[in-house]
Amino acid sequence: MDNNKQIILFVFIIGFTTLITSCKPNLKKVDEKDISVDSLLNLRYEQLLQYPIDSLAFPRSYTIKEGKIKKVPSKDWTSGFFPGNLWQIFELTQDNRYKEVAKKWTAFVEKEKFNNHTHDMGFKVFCSFGNGLKSFENQHYKNIVVKSAQTLITRFDEKVGSIRSWDFNKHKWSFPVIIDNMMNLELLFEATKISKDSMYHKIAVAHANTTLQNHFRPNNSTWHVLDYNPENGKVNTRVTHQGISDDSSWARGQGWAIYGFTMAYRYTKNPKYLEQAKATASFFTGHKNMPEDGIPYWDFDAPNIPNEPRDVSAAAIVASALIELYGYTNNESYLNYSKKVLNSLQSKNYILAENVKAPFILNHSSGDWSKRAEMDEPIVYGDYYFLEALTRLKKIK
Ligand code: GLY
């Protein structure tokens, strides 16, 4: 090679290397993993929008093996979550398409305001109409919240001091109250705010006090079901329905307790509620069987840990509750814990794969082991509390 050729080759190599390295900072700034996770989330949101609107077919869960969506009517305890998810995606994205579809699904839940056969009124009506009210002023929605509260309190018993949870009597329970029932109190507290009638608030407080007194173990975990004697208000038995055993700690039940007492504190400022929420949160987050990524097994005492299904819904409920708890305590560790869980959930480990055509966002929730149903699957309420946590995080930012 003569000198001239060598110089040309040298200039070419230098030029090419400069071009490559000048691109590098940009490549570094844009993290490929983040982009694909982000667009995967958006793609999942779109799937909720594309799901056919049908008053009898609220999407509840998805069986991956069979490729089948479980669809339920409005009387199912989960019907409020799908409209709630659409409202919350609207809140996060400000994309009006979600609001319009949310209104349609929400309207299908209205008839539940008369359904007095269940305690799940809050889940159904407040997750749908209640979320709508966060997005826009609507007197009709407010009337529905108050009517639903009127129906729910017909299940309150003075002697027990609680709202009865279930009517089914497979177990011969006299007056079953489950920890999940704390979640329905938000509807009652809000009904008092709307109507100025203190009765709903008072019943919610009575229920919370009875639960506080009887539902917790000395280590601050909660039993799932308490059966009361309606003749004298005493506890007959403390058992489980969805956990592995009566004395085990069913993960979602712990989540309902943490969320329920944090929310009850919001309306009452009763320090005992705050203390219970903190104590159960500490049991949950510090449990020896809690995996590193903050997504618990479905029951902390399940026999085959670490080869047991996780429960994304329990993780999401607690992530959302701890953001609220942070607001009352200023304890950054609650916020940091929630962020850690949300980071785990917003990863490809938990977001439902791109090729799954179903109106859900996250995989790996666990529903009801007693029926061997919906274990390790996408379930609508896992998505609901995940979206709520994202919305809450966005607000405090
Ligand atoms: N409330 C029913 C459940 O958490 O599965």
Side-chain angles (χ1 to χ4, degrees), residues 77 119-120 123 166 178 180 224 242 250 252 256 366-368 381:
W77 80 274
H119 72 139
D120 288 320
F123 284 122
W166 293 325
I178 63 174
D180 323 26
H224 183 206
Q242 280 159 255
W250 173 51
R252 195 163 53 258
W256 294 142
S366 286
D368 191 346
Y381 45 84

Side-chain angles (χ1 to χ4, degrees), residues 88-117:
Q88 295 187 118
I89 297 173
F90 167 64
E91 182 72 34
L92 286 168
T93 62
Q94 292 302 304
D95 180 338
N96 275 317
R97 292 174 307 155
Y98 292 97
K99 183 177 174 184
E100 291 317 310
V101 179
K103 279 187 196 166
K104 291 183 182 153
W105 282 99
T106 297
F108 299 149
V109 183
E110 178 171 350
K111 66 177 191 287
E112 295 308 312
K113 68 186 178 188
F114 299 118
N115 181 352
N116 63 0
H117 295 291

Side-chain angles (χ1 to χ4, degrees), residues 161-182:
S162 275
I163 296 162
R164 183 186 175 120
S165 289
W166 293 325
D167 289 346
F168 70 85
N169 210 7
K170 186 175 128 200
H171 301 276
K172 307 265 179 287
W173 288 322
S174 306
F175 193 101
V177 178
I178 63 174
I179 189 66
D180 323 26
N181 204 341
M182 281 298 298

Side-chain angles (χ1 to χ4, degrees), residues 349-367:
N349 290 343
Y350 293 99
I351 300 180
L352 198 51
E354 197 173 338
N355 61 347
V356 177
K357 299 283 169 258
F360 301 102
I361 301 164
L362 299 176
N363 200 349
H364 305 300
S365 283
S366 286

